[in-house]
């Protein structure tokens, strides 16, 4: 009987002979499932325990099992900003659900059976589950070896504690500022850990071929960052690691960096030549991928009777979970934006990232700003009410404007927050509010409005780069080679628009393909709302480069000066004689001159972009003349209806206005805002991860973890302010994350305006609001 064969890229796999793979496939769909292995992970049933013994020998002998690994087999630490995490627990487990062992087998059922054969002996340790307990000197250490971990220069761990990063702002003279104040308001606020809830769970395929090359197909926002982390951890050259990123079915930050994909690497190395797949269950997606960090904070603000803020003191303690390799940068970003949209002359901020024995904290849309603005924007309303001022009026007095300084001391220019706030108030129909609302006797439902502002910068290294390659085909189509990832946010649409506009071709003729680190132009990560701004600039430069080449070819072809040539709608023509024209494809490979000689060669444009002038913040003060690439501002107002009998908040209307610099695609920009509003509403009213006293997640599915549905979508009034970003494409800057940040505090402020109840802990569920009403 002839041997059955299947193909993986250039390599042939003979299934009966189990030969090694000699090539790799570009797309996961190219892999043949009769060769595929299926990975499953054995996860800890303790939040904090010492691993006494892990015996996987029985699992390895089970027929159909091709590889078994434990932490001892692969003790390599990994991390983007702080190298503190191993794919499998080595010496102890640090959260309930941490991988202890992995199995790859010919079927999911055999892999599951093999997991049941692995014997693990634990010595349970006291779990650290409260962030305020974790910072105490006597608290058990989640990472006793923190002082040995590598980290980037901008991160400041505190050795022999649970504090993995301490970011500081010291601006002006805080004591003097409070001494000058006529009123000092101090309060505490809290947000819980929450999940990203992408429609598509984390999924990956890994293949280690016989040439020693590792290929990973992953639902990832960060193919190049994933390659870099693996290269640094394994001490492999980057050309030995290839990451391919198909379209991502929802990311929201949870698919940034390197996550569950790392568990496949040692399995792939053991089962050389076999592609293997790992797909997270919904429970694993909730518990074992990045979550948004919880945060407890104390905010103290001094203000004059005329409403001018004189000083602010802000302490934030972030529940970073068991590993904070990405979360440390979240706490940093929240620290340097701790002034919010306000011009505050004297500031002291301390932002602490803290280890606990809970799921791993990391990036979620907003990157720390939904959390710190939950406190800032409620606090501003409280101060306004204490002064007897309208919240909009109070904000207008203190807003950043031309020449203001932010928390880092940066002098600001082209600030659009004032226009955003004015337009938001107009759209919602704002009327003056000077104090808390009152419950009228006999009333069962009340309506009220609330408002909140926000600002955010792209949190990225100073050297975060974007590149693009534009290749013109001789049929007139254009290949736009980029590695920005399409998450459903419309990045490919906007980047294709920029390319078509600059090159002079039709949008329909632009082709963009999935990310491949072996063949794609470099992109740092698809995070930080930076793609339109950063990759857009690279695309613009690449398209302009290609157009210069095309015009040069046309100049020789037509025998006219380059200044007399233009490209519009896919045709190259002579401006002084428009009848002389040819399709761009005619000149894509160069120009054929009258003597039949060739000129120029194929048109391939290159572009790159790194924001210029960024200066690292001082380690002790956080001060810098330009700490980040840009700032995006926005405001939201809501109108709610509160049921006094049940505590249920129904958001009826939302007005949202953002300074996008320049709106390149109004449809996708509006959709971003609408989606962000619904996500912000969901976080504000429903979402919270709940744990028992031993650290077990109690609501790892949508049965008990509630998110907003179509039934909760309010009427939305969306507007844009366009104060151009000097180095953005056509003046554009990103708005993707910003649009969900102010929704929860706007709802909380509306609740206070309705009945005088201030809820300072998310979420504002019917139950939580009901008990707050009863206490009042």
């Amino acid at each position: 009987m002839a041997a059955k064969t299947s193909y993986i890229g250039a390599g042939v796999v003979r299934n009966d002979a189990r030969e090694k793979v000699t090539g790799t496939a570009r797309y996961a769909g190219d892999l043949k499932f009769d060769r595929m292995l299926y990975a499953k992970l054995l996860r800890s049933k303790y939040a904090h325990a010492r691993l006494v013994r892990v015996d996987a020998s029985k699992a390895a002998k089970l027929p159909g099992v091709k590889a078994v690994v434990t932490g001892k087999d692969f003790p390599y630490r990994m991390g983007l900003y702080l190298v503190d995490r191993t794919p499998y627990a080595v010496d102890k487990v640090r959260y309930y659900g941490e991988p202890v062992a992995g199995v790859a087998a010919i079927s999911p059922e055999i892999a599951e059976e093999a997991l049941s054969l692995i014997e693990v002996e634990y010595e349970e340790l006291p779990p650290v589950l409260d962030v305020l307990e974790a910072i105490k000197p006597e608290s058990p250490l989640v990472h006793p070896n923190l002082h040995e971990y590598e980290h980037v220069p901008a991160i400041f761990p505190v050795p022999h504690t649970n504090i993995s990063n301490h970011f500081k702002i010291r601006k002006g003279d805080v004591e003097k500022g409070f001494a000058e104040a006529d009123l000092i308001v101090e309060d505490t606020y809290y947000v819980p850990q929450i999940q990203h809830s992408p429609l598509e769970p984390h999924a990956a395929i890994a293949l280690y071929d016989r040439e020693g090359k590792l290929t990973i197909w992953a639902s990832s926002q960060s193919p190049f960052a994933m390659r870099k982390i693996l290269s640094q951890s394994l001490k492999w050259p980057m050309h030995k690691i290839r990451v391919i990123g198909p379209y991502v079915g929802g990311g929201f930050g949870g698919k940034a960096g390197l996550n569950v994909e790392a568990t496949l690497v040692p399995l792939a190395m053991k089962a050389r030549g076999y592609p293997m797949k790992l797909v997270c269950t919904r429970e694993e997606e909730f518990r074992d991928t990045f979550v948004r960090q919880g945060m407890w904070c104390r905010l103290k603000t001094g203000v004059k009777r005329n409403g001018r803020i004189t000083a602010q003191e802000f302490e934030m303690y972030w529940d970073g979970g068991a590993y904070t390799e990405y979360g440390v940068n979240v706490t940093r970003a929240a620290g340097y934006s701790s002034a919010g949209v306000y011009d505050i002359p004297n500031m002291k901020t301390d932002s602490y990232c803290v280890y606990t024995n809970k799921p791993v904290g990391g990036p979620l849309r907003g990157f720390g700003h939904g959390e710190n603005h939950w406190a800032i924007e409620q606090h501003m309303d409280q101060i306004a009410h204490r002064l007897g001022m309208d919240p909009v009026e109070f904000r207008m007095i203190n807003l950043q404007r031309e020449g203001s300084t932010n928390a880092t001391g940066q002098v600001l220019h082209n600030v659009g927050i004032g226009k955003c706030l004015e337009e938001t108030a107009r759209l919602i129909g704002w009327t003056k509010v000077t104090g808390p609302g009152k419950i009228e006797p006999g009333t069962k439902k009340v309506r009220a409005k609330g408002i909140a502002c926000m600002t955010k910068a792209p949190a990225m290294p100073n050297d975060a780069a974007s590149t693009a390659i534009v290749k013109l085909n001789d049929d007139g189509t254009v290949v736009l080679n980029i590695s920005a990832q399409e998450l459903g946010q419309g990045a490919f649409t906007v980047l294709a628009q920029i390319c078509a506009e600059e090159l002079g071709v039709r949008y329909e003729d632009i082709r963009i393909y999935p990310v491949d680190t072996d063949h794609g132009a470099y992109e740092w990560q698809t995070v930080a709302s930076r793609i339109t701004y950063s990759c857009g600039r690279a695309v613009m430069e690449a398209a302009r480069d290609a157009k210069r080449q095309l015009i040069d070819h046309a100049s020789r072809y037509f025998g006219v000066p380059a200044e007399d040539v233009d490209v519009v709608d896919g045709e190259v023509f002579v401006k002084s004689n428009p009848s002389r024209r040819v399709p761009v494809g005619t000149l894509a490979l160069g120009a054929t001159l009258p003597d039949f000689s060739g000129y120029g060669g194929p048109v391939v444009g290159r572009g790159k972009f790194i924001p210029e002038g960024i200066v690292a913040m001082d380690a002790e003060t956080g001060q810098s003349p330009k700490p980040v690439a840009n700032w995006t501002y926005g405001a939201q107002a809501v109108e709610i209806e509160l049921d006094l009998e049940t505590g249920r908040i129904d958001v009826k209307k939302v007005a949202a206005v953002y300074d996008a610099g320049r709106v390149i695609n109004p449809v996708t920009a509006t959709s971003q805002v609408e989606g962000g509003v619904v996500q912000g509403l969901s976080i504000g009213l429903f979402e919270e991860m709940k744990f028992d006293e031993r650290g077990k997640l109690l609501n790892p599915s949508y049965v008990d973890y509630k998110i907003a549905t179509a039934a909760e979508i309010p009427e939305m009034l969306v507007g844009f302010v366009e104060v151009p970003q000097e180095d953005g494409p056509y003046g554009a800057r990103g708005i993707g994350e910003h649009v969900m940040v102010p929704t929860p505090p706007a709802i909380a402020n509306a609740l206070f305006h309705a009945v005088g109840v201030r809820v300072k802990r998310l979420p504002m569920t019917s139950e939580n609001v009901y008990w707050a009403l009863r206490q009042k």
Side-chain angles (χ1 to χ4, degrees), residues 82 146-147 149 151-152 155-159 161 163-166 328:
L82 172 67
L146 172 60
H147 60 286
Y149 295 168
H151 56 84
V152 300
I155 301 303
F156 305 101
V158 181
T161 73
I163 298 171
S164 58
N165 188 30
H166 178 195
V328 288

Side-chain angles (χ1 to χ4, degrees), residues 469-515:
I469 299 170
V470 171
K471 184 178 73 172
L472 185 59
N473 296 322
D474 48 353
D475 64 354
T477 60
V478 178
V479 175
L480 175 56
N481 185 329
I482 54 172
S483 292
Q485 187 60 285
E486 180 57 65
L487 316 175
Q489 82 280 40
F492 283 7
T493 299
V494 167
L495 296 173
Q497 281 184 264
I498 293 172
C499 183
E501 177 74 16
E502 291 296 328
L503 187 54
V505 300
R506 300 183 308 162
Y507 167 83
E508 294 82 3
D509 290 330
I510 308 294
R511 303 288 182 268
I512 302 176
Y513 298 102
V515 180

Side-chain angles (χ1 to χ4, degrees), residues 24-35:
T24 55
R26 181 160 188 180
Y27 306 108
D30 295 340
L31 295 172
K32 299 302 180 181
F33 287 90
D34 55 1
R35 179 78 173 177

